[in-house]
Amino acid sequence: LAKTTQPISMDSYEGQEVNITCSHNNIATNDYITWYQQFPSQGPRFIIQGYKTKVTNEVASLFIPADRKSSTLSLPRVSLSDTAVYYCLVGGLGYKLSFGAGTTVTVRA
Amino acid sequence: DVKVTQSSRYLVKRTGEKVFLECVQDMDHENMFWYRQDPGLGLRLIYFSYDVKMKEKGDIPEGYSVSREKKERFSLILESASTNQTSMYLCASSPLQTSGGAREQFFGPGTRLTVL
């Protein structure tokens, strides 16, 4: 499994854009990059998944450079309710996923 | 709406007790997972199952066993609970993966187990 490294915590203010970068230097050819969000007292929730370039959905955007050794999750115009832990996962076929410690994002008023 | 339910939100047991944590999913998913979550360590995979009666060890299977007799139900068993098994336990399920990236996992609300 590719090891991922992401910041432990990030602070932001309402209305700002939050960008969380995840490093995965040993990503394999078949690996995809997936992000999950976890609120306190809840299980993680899938946000977005991508293989290369850019993926966008109603919640977030995922930017993946050509070398795929890192990826950036972008949360546009965050609100207080976006305060959560965000996990970057790398994996392909197979069932094992490594969640790591995640990034705690705190949004302040 | 997809749903993964866990038998208890909070559980308190004594050292040496046999503990059963139950998980049920209503999405007809092939895959089911058990994780534990501890502060600073994220989620760690204990066991997963890709079919009825099939199981594979995750990263930290020691001290745990699992049972999957029916497709919708996946049980985690602590044969003899110890204090270092005090943790939040999360169950998840996902559809069969045939290609591409790992399929989305749907998580239950978690069971906070305290072993005294």
Side-chain angles (χ1 to χ4, degrees), chain A residues 1 30-32 90-97, chain B residues 97 100-102:
Chain A
L1 285 176
N30 295 330
D31 285 346
Y32 279 65
V90 173
L93 285 176
Y95 307 109
K96 286 192 177 184
L97 291 177
Chain B
Q97 179 179 6

Side-chain angles (χ1 to χ4, degrees), chain A residues 85-105:
Chain A
V85 179
Y86 293 83
Y87 297 94
C88 167
L89 290 77
V90 173
L93 285 176
Y95 307 109
K96 286 192 177 184
L97 291 177
S98 177
F99 273 81
T103 298
T104 299
V105 172

